Amino acid sequence: MDRTLPLMQRFRDSATALSSGQPCDCLPPLRAAAEQLRQKDLRISQLQAELRRPPPAPAQPPEPEALPTIYVVTPTYARLVQKAELVRLSQTLSLVPRLHWLLVEDAESPTPLVSGLLAASGLLFTHLVVLTPKAQRLREGEPGWVHPRGVEQRNKALDWLRGRGGAVGGEKDPPPPGTQGVVYFADDDNTYSRELFEEMRWTRGVSVWPVGLVGGLRFEGPQVQDGRVVGFHTAWEPNRPFPVDMAGFAVALPLLLAKPNAQFDSTAPRGHLESSLLSHLVDPKDLEPRAANCTRVLVWHTRTEKPKMKQEEQLQRQGRGSDPAIEV
Amino acid sequence: MDRTLPLMQRFRDSATALSSGQPCDCLPPLRAAAEQLRQKDLRISQLQAELRRPPPAPAQPPEPEALPTIYVVTPTYARLVQKAELVRLSQTLSLVPRLHWLLVEDAESPTPLVSGLLAASGLLFTHLVVLTPKAQRLREGEPGWVHPRGVEQRNKALDWLRGRGGAVGGEKDPPPPGTQGVVYFADDDNTYSRELFEEMRWTRGVSVWPVGLVGGLRFEGPQVQDGRVVGFHTAWEPNRPFPVDMAGFAVALPLLLAKPNAQFDSTAPRGHLESSLLSHLVDPKDLEPRAANCTRVLVWHTRTEKPKMKQEEQLQRQGRGSDPAIEV
């Protein structure tokens, strides 16, 4: 509109310069011109505003911000297959929206291998570290059930979620109060279908489902009648309070926060580690069956063989071992 | 511009209506107004054209159509961990653009487990089936090296790529003439970093890289000097023509099609299966080193333990075995 003022100014200057006679009748057309110019300036402003508006977002799945966050707790320890296991797990997790990986090393301090892998993963993560106390560590040749692995590490993740800090990398702040989320304990050697994570996302208390290739069976899992858990298919101590595998349940974050003393008990008898947490949280009859009433296997308790290194030791004795500068 | 004409017309009408005296000096400001209006109309037209222009495409990787296709050949056979292995492999492959999975079952006819998994995978795939002849099959307890596994299945995929048909599911037409692509033999138990596939995509002849946790070593792989392969780090028969693992190379599709007789030889001596194909295709000195001159391990020869089924057998004897209707 400013740009129309000089026009009327020039007209008035011209009119004043007239020496005699009837004033000319230029005023109406000039007023009309000024009005037209004003309207065109308005239109130009409108169009420029439209152009500044960001383009519409492309068609997308529902906003991830509206989904509860899945906190995946993974204990891990240094061994030959560690990187391979973490690479394939991180790639599976990268397929799941709104997921936060809590990776807890059994170590004194964060290792370059795990720190580098997390940084390259593209995932939202928190890096935690806690060394298993010597008394609870397995000795060479001891069977795995003497001391359940990963207890201190899972409890460390629970501490972080409860605002007791301790992160050494990634997101260091715990979930803000009121965060909707679910916590899942995912060891680094199991196999997870991406579908499993959508089954657990809307857990209200504790949700459960079958686990394949565990306990000497094709699968272990809850038995469901009329949408309620009425028993458990398992060969081993079916009368444990919660005869479920670590990979077979998830807990709503608000429930875990409401029970600040619920954690895993490293002194629990064999097969009772899961029960040591769940007994604080839920009555077995209130477990929420998922995966089509526990009729679909979406997680498998796979175990990776320990690679043989006989040739490596031979070559190393000859000074020709695999280049230690190359990370495996 | 048309809309400016009425203004000048109205001015001329007003001027004619003046009865006497010096003509007024309205012409210059009115001419200026007309010119301003003309320029504003032009600006409005320009802005409207800008608004009609489609929004710029969001930042994206290069059009997948411009990338050579990666044909991943996976032999597979029925066993307890088969579904778990194929689920995690298919999820890894789903992260790779422009990939075509050739899954070849060692079976008489396609199995529901594999057919269902392929259909649900979301991948572009071709389902092939060929039964290993009885004479080449491993007997119970025989070590794996007596008969290398997957030979017939890999050759079946080569046949399909060469237009000799045989698909039982998925995409049945072989690549049209002139297709740019690369062929990789990916067993279902190894671990693959998604980065590996981008290393092999632009293979001209045969590309190579290290493989982790194989041959009794931390890794096996080509030794590279000045960008050329000059030897191999391996503990076992370093003088084989191509001392590389099945997971350690990829072949350009046009090269495979130009050598229609190149295939795997099931009678090759132990450790010479890879050489039986590659000897038809390339001179060792022309191998193309990838993965930062073969200094990065992006694939691991992981092996999954055979699950123990002692409890399953016990429960089955009591008629309480795991529900056979539930696929594991």
Side-chain angles (χ1 to χ4, degrees):
Chain A
M1 279 164 64
D2 289 341
R3 274 175 285 170
T4 66
L5 286 175
L7 176 72
M8 293 306 284
Q9 191 59 50
R10 280 169 71 184
F11 165 69
R12 275 186 220 106
D13 293 348
S14 295
T16 310
L18 289 174
S19 56
S20 69
Q22 204 177 342
C24 76
D25 196 14
C26 294
L27 208 53
L30 277 166
R31 283 210 175 115
E35 175 59 20
Q36 281 190 32
L37 282 167
R38 199 187 63 79
Q39 289 193 359
K40 284 187 198 297
D41 280 330
L42 191 65
R43 180 82 188 116
I44 287 170
S45 300
Q46 287 170 344
L47 288 168
Q48 284 171 332
E50 276 184 56
L51 275 169
R52 278 193 303 268
R53 199 178 301 157
Q60 272 181 341
E63 273 298 295
E65 282 68 28
L67 297 174
T69 298
I70 300 176
Y71 294 91
V72 173
V73 174
T74 301
T76 189
Y77 65 100
R79 60 203 192 277
L80 280 166
V81 299
Q82 183 183 31
K83 188 174 182 185
E85 301 283 39
L86 292 176
V87 162
R88 68 180 156 191
L89 177 54
S90 71
Q91 290 179 167
T92 293
L93 300 183
S94 76
L95 292 165
V96 183
R98 198 79 171 155
L99 182 145
H100 187 142
W101 197 17
L102 310 185
L103 190 58
V104 197
E105 286 196 78
D106 186 350
E108 274 194 74
S109 54
T111 63
L113 186 149
V114 171
S115 299
L117 186 139
L118 283 169
S121 71
L123 294 167
L124 174 62
F125 70 88
T126 294
H127 189 176
L128 297 155
V129 172
V130 61
L131 189 67
T132 302
K134 210 164 185 178
Q136 290 169 38
R137 261 182 276 165
L138 283 179
R139 266 158 288 209
E140 186 70 27
E142 260 183 333
W145 52 262
V146 174
H147 297 296
R149 227 192 253 281
V151 180
E152 298 297 318
Q153 289 72 36
R154 294 186 196 97
N155 284 339
K156 180 82 178 182
L158 292 177
D159 282 349
W160 179 83
L161 285 166
R162 288 165 175 151
R164 296 179 203 150
V168 295
E171 175 57 49
K172 296 198 176 166
D173 292 331
T179 297
Q180 291 304 303
V182 59
V183 179
Y184 180 55
F185 300 95
D187 290 354
D188 62 4
D189 50 356
N190 292 333
T191 301
Y192 306 90
S193 164
R194 62 193 294 179
E195 289 181 75
L196 177 68
F197 299 94
E198 299 319 316
E199 293 289 337
M200 74 180 68
R201 192 182 295 278
W202 298 93
T203 299
R204 293 182 303 274
V206 176
S207 55
V208 286
W209 49 80
V211 177
L213 308 178
V214 70
L217 299 179
R218 286 179 66 244
F219 66 88
E220 276 186 358
Q223 291 162 325
V224 178
Q225 268 175 24
D226 301 327
R228 308 205 73 150
V229 174
V230 296
F232 296 90
H233 173 63
T234 176
W236 200 76
E237 278 201 43
N239 295 322
R240 285 173 288 165
F242 294 88
V244 296
D245 186 77
M246 193 64 73
F249 67 91
V251 183
L253 177 65
L255 177 59
L256 270 175
L257 299 182
K259 306 278 187 178
N261 296 318
Q263 60 165 17
F264 293 99
D265 177 2
S266 64
T267 67
R270 180 180 178 193
H272 287 251
L273 187 61
E274 294 83 355
S275 297
S276 75
L277 175 78
L278 291 173
S279 300
H280 291 279
L281 298 174
V282 69
D283 195 285
K285 72 170 168 44
D286 294 327
L287 292 170
E288 301 156 33
R290 293 286 194 275
N293 277 325
C294 299
T295 63
R296 295 188 67 204
V297 172
L298 298 172
V299 52
W300 297 261
H301 191 263
T302 42
R303 313 258 327 222
T304 304
E305 280 182 15
K306 187 177 171 181
K308 300 187 183 84
M309 287 290 115
K310 206 174 98 180
Q311 280 73 21
E312 186 70 55
E313 290 153 18
Q314 283 176 353
L315 288 193
Q316 281 178 1
R317 281 194 292 271
Q318 302 164 17
R320 301 191 294 124
S322 302
D323 183 350
I326 295 183
E327 187 179 85
V328 177
Chain B
M1 275 168 69
D2 288 340
R3 276 176 283 170
T4 65
L5 284 175
L7 178 72
M8 292 306 285
Q9 190 60 52
R10 280 169 70 185
F11 166 68
R12 272 184 222 106
D13 294 348
S14 297
T16 309
L18 290 177
S19 55
S20 69
Q22 207 176 334
C24 76
D25 197 14
C26 293
L27 208 54
L30 277 165
R31 282 209 177 115
E35 175 57 20
Q36 281 190 30
L37 283 167
R38 196 187 65 79
Q39 289 192 358
K40 285 187 197 296
D41 280 328
L42 190 65
R43 182 77 188 121
I44 288 170
S45 303
Q46 286 169 344
L47 288 168
Q48 285 171 332
E50 275 183 57
L51 276 168
R52 279 192 302 270
R53 200 179 301 157
Q60 272 181 341
E63 272 299 297
E65 284 67 28
L67 297 175
T69 298
I70 301 176
Y71 294 92
V72 173
V73 174
T74 301
T76 189
Y77 66 100
R79 61 202 192 279
L80 281 165
V81 299
Q82 182 182 32
K83 188 173 180 186
E85 300 283 39
L86 292 177
V87 162
R88 71 179 154 192
L89 177 54
S90 70
Q91 291 180 164
T92 294
L93 300 183
S94 76
L95 293 166
V96 184
R98 199 80 169 155
L99 181 144
H100 187 142
W101 197 18
L102 310 183
L103 189 58
V104 198
E105 286 196 77
D106 186 350
E108 274 194 75
S109 54
T111 63
L113 187 150
V114 171
S115 299
L117 187 140
L118 283 170
S121 70
L123 294 167
L124 174 62
F125 70 88
T126 294
H127 189 176
L128 299 155
V129 171
V130 61
L131 189 67
T132 302
K134 210 164 183 178
Q136 291 169 37
R137 260 182 277 167
L138 282 180
R139 263 157 292 207
E140 186 69 28
E142 259 184 335
W145 51 263
V146 173
H147 297 296
R149 227 191 252 282
V151 179
E152 297 297 317
Q153 288 73 35
R154 296 187 194 97
N155 285 339
K156 180 82 178 180
L158 293 177
D159 282 350
W160 179 82
L161 286 166
R162 288 164 175 150
R164 295 176 203 152
V168 295
E171 175 58 50
K172 296 196 177 170
D173 292 333
T179 298
Q180 291 303 304
V182 60
V183 179
Y184 180 55
F185 300 95
D187 290 354
D188 62 5
D189 50 356
N190 293 334
T191 300
Y192 306 90
S193 164
R194 63 194 294 178
E195 290 182 73
L196 177 68
F197 299 94
E198 299 319 316
E199 293 289 337
M200 73 179 69
R201 194 183 293 278
W202 299 93
T203 299
R204 293 182 303 273
V206 176
S207 55
V208 287
W209 50 79
V211 178
L213 308 178
V214 70
L217 299 179
R218 287 180 66 243
F219 66 88
E220 277 186 359
Q223 293 163 323
V224 178
Q225 268 175 22
D226 301 327
R228 310 206 72 153
V229 174
V230 296
F232 296 90
H233 173 62
T234 176
W236 200 76
E237 277 202 43
N239 294 323
R240 286 173 288 166
F242 295 87
V244 296
D245 184 77
M246 194 64 75
F249 68 92
V251 183
L253 177 65
L255 176 59
L256 270 175
L257 299 182
K259 307 278 187 177
N261 297 319
Q263 60 167 16
F264 293 100
D265 178 2
S266 63
T267 67
R270 181 181 177 192
H272 287 252
L273 187 62
E274 293 83 354
S275 297
S276 76
L277 174 78
L278 292 173
S279 300
H280 290 279
L281 299 175
V282 68
D283 195 288
K285 72 172 169 39
D286 295 326
L287 292 170
E288 300 156 33
R290 292 286 194 277
N293 276 326
C294 299
T295 62
R296 294 188 68 205
V297 173
L298 298 171
V299 53
W300 296 261
H301 192 262
T302 42
R303 314 257 328 221
T304 304
E305 280 182 15
K306 188 178 169 180
K308 299 186 183 84
M309 286 290 112
K310 207 173 97 182
Q311 279 72 22
E312 186 70 54
E313 290 153 18
Q314 282 175 356
L315 289 193
Q316 281 177 1
R317 280 193 293 270
Q318 301 164 18
R320 301 191 295 125
S322 303
D323 183 350
I326 294 184
E327 188 178 86
V328 177

